[in-house]
Amino acid sequence: MEEDIGRLSAVTDYNDYSDIPPWTMSPVGICEKEDIKTFVTSYMSTIFYILFCISVLGNSVILVILFRKEKLQSVTNIYILNLVVSDSLFSITLPFTAADHSYTWIFGRSLCKLNIAAFYIGFQSFVIFITLTTIDQYFTIVHSWSTSSRLRVRYAVCISCMAWVISIILSIPDVISYTVIITDFGVAVCEFSSFFGDQTHLWLSIGHYKHFIVFYLGPLSIIIFCYSRIVVKLAKSNLRKKSRALKVIFLIASLFFLCWTPYNILMFLMFKKHIELYAECNNVLQYIFHISQTTVYVHCCLNPFLYAFLGTKFRRHLKCSFKRRTSKYIAQQQEISLKTTLPNGI
């Protein structure tokens, strides 16, 4: 993510880390070329604001349906609830990121650390719950496990609590290492500092491989395995809606791969010094990086919609709620019309 690579601040002693190119530090610095700065500060920031609004609206609808209609009586709904919370936590950081890109960090040191905490906890728990939802679908379809058994629901709650604890623990080094720094140009930035001293390179390497292996390769492998087994199971079944189920599975798996792979490959190459994106300020690579980064953001913000609204029950609840609201509105308008026309008729 944006906080995975970047640059040290101006106060950092670069002589101590001369073997680390500037783009391995956090967060990502904006290239000084005017066209790229305009692209990031104007267009990308606008996208972040739009994603935030869509995420808030969509997740609110999902939460209303979950609590008023579904009652959280199945493992799938519990994971969707946690996925929505993760997505909401992650989305909260987008306006701050957009404002930081457009101006400087004007929110102070405490909000800097809170923003980083929300970003990492939301992002990491989001990936974990995507993986757990996939595993739940695998056991439900391939092994015919009941998704609403009390024991499984209890296990799902315990696993969800463990997922949040893991996400919080893994985010602690990042929260500690970020702070507000005033650069040589007098600009306040919320970024990675040299908190760990001589161990900075080690912690950066751990953070990089943590995200690449634990939060990309691992989940991708599990998703591919689970969905391939589900496809085989459905292909052998006689379900009437088999074709639609296969399309939904293909869509979910493909979106994860297409949205996450370009960014992670580019980030990995940058970290291994195969390309020097920020050192050379290459125009094309800069655009590719920011666009691929945004696709990850889009997937994080919109993925709960896939699990919720591609499901038959959620769509049925949404249609019923919409029809009920529409009927109520029409009835109210007819009543108002009747009240205004009767006196005029008399």
Side-chain angles (χ1 to χ4, degrees):
M1 300 306 299
E2 179 173 88
E3 283 72 14
D4 292 331
I5 53 176
R7 51 178 171 78
L8 274 177
S9 66
V11 298
T12 304
D13 186 0
Y14 283 95
N15 294 327
D16 293 339
Y17 306 100
S18 57
D19 60 326
I20 308 176
W23 33 258
T24 60
M25 306 299 179
S26 306
V28 170
I30 300 176
C31 179
E32 290 302 316
K33 288 189 176 181
E34 194 62 34
D35 54 344
I36 295 177
K37 287 180 66 177
T38 301
F39 176 74
V40 174
T41 58
S42 300
Y43 301 107
M44 303 297 289
S45 296
T46 302
I47 292 174
F48 291 165
Y49 287 125
I50 294 173
L51 285 177
F52 171 74
C53 295
I54 294 174
S55 176
V56 170
L57 178 62
N59 287 328
S60 299
V61 173
I62 296 174
L63 287 175
V64 169
I65 293 176
L66 279 174
F67 283 103
R68 295 187 62 179
K69 304 295 183 180
E70 290 295 313
K71 306 301 182 183
L72 299 177
Q73 295 176 348
S74 70
V75 175
T76 303
N77 288 339
I78 289 173
Y79 288 150
I80 289 178
L81 171 63
N82 284 279
L83 200 60
V84 168
V85 175
S86 299
D87 173 59
S88 301
L89 196 60
F90 174 84
S91 300
I92 288 173
T93 67
L94 293 181
F96 294 96
T97 303
D100 190 29
H101 281 335
S102 300
Y103 311 102
T104 61
W105 187 261
I106 59 175
F107 307 104
R109 183 175 178 273
S110 297
L111 270 179
C112 169
K113 289 189 174 292
L114 286 174
N115 188 60
I116 293 300
F119 180 93
Y120 277 103
I121 295 172
F123 163 70
Q124 292 170 165
S125 60
F126 173 83
V127 178
I128 292 174
F129 286 115
I130 282 181
T131 308
L132 289 174
T133 304
T134 303
I135 294 172
D136 171 61
Q137 292 175 339
Y138 165 75
F139 282 112
T140 301
I141 297 174
V142 176
H143 297 286
S144 302
W145 285 17
S146 172
T147 188
S148 57
S149 85
R150 291 186 178 181
L151 185 59
R152 282 202 66 200
V153 170
R154 197 174 304 164
Y155 283 149
V157 172
C158 294
I159 292 172
S160 298
C161 293
M162 291 175 58
W164 284 108
V165 171
I166 292 172
S167 300
I168 293 172
I169 291 174
L170 291 179
S171 69
I172 289 176
D174 300 295
V175 175
I176 292 174
S177 60
Y178 274 78
T179 188
V180 175
I181 298 173
I182 307 300
T183 67
D184 290 341
F185 302 100
V187 177
V189 290
C190 174
E191 63 176 26
F192 190 94
S193 67
S194 55
F195 177 85
F196 295 104
D198 295 337
Q199 301 297 318
T200 298
H201 192 184
L202 174 63
W203 280 104
L204 286 169
S205 299
I206 292 173
H208 168 74
Y209 287 109
K210 174 191 71 175
H211 284 283
F212 188 74
I213 297 174
V214 178
F215 295 104
Y216 173 66
L217 286 183
L220 181 63
S221 302
I222 293 173
I223 288 172
I224 291 174
F225 170 78
C226 291
Y227 281 137
S228 61
R229 292 294 303 273
I230 291 173
V231 167
V232 172
K233 179 73 174 183
L234 291 176
K236 295 179 180 179
S237 68
N238 296 318
L239 294 175
R240 289 184 300 173
K241 297 182 179 180
K242 177 173 64 177
S243 176
R244 183 183 179 280
L246 290 174
K247 290 178 181 178
V248 170
I249 289 170
F250 178 77
L251 177 63
I252 293 174
S254 298
L255 282 177
F256 184 89
F257 178 80
L258 293 175
C259 290
W260 289 69
T261 299
Y263 172 81
N264 280 278
I265 289 178
L266 186 59
M267 187 182 71
F268 183 80
L269 292 174
M270 288 163 60
F271 193 85
K272 300 302 290 184
K273 306 181 183 181
H274 291 166
I275 57 177
E276 295 187 358
L277 178 57
Y278 291 96
E280 298 181 359
C281 201
N282 185 299
N283 268 21
V284 176
L285 290 178
Q286 282 277 344
Y287 283 117
I288 292 175
F289 176 82
H290 288 296
I291 292 172
S292 64
Q293 183 185 75
T294 304
T295 60
V296 176
Y297 281 35
V298 170
H299 186 267
C300 288
C301 292
L302 302 184
N303 195 73
F305 297 81
L306 293 177
Y307 288 100
F309 295 121
L310 287 178
T312 305
K313 289 192 298 182
F314 268 88
R315 289 204 323 276
R316 185 171 63 248
H317 290 319
L318 189 63
K319 287 180 181 179
C320 291
S321 298
F322 179 76
K323 288 180 180 179
R324 191 179 301 112
R325 296 273 182 179
T326 304
S327 301
K328 186 177 180 180
Y329 176 77
I330 292 174
Q332 288 176 346
Q333 293 301 313
Q334 288 176 345
E335 184 178 353
I336 293 173
S337 177
L338 185 62
K339 289 180 178 178
T340 55
T341 54
L342 280 176
N344 294 333
I346 296 174

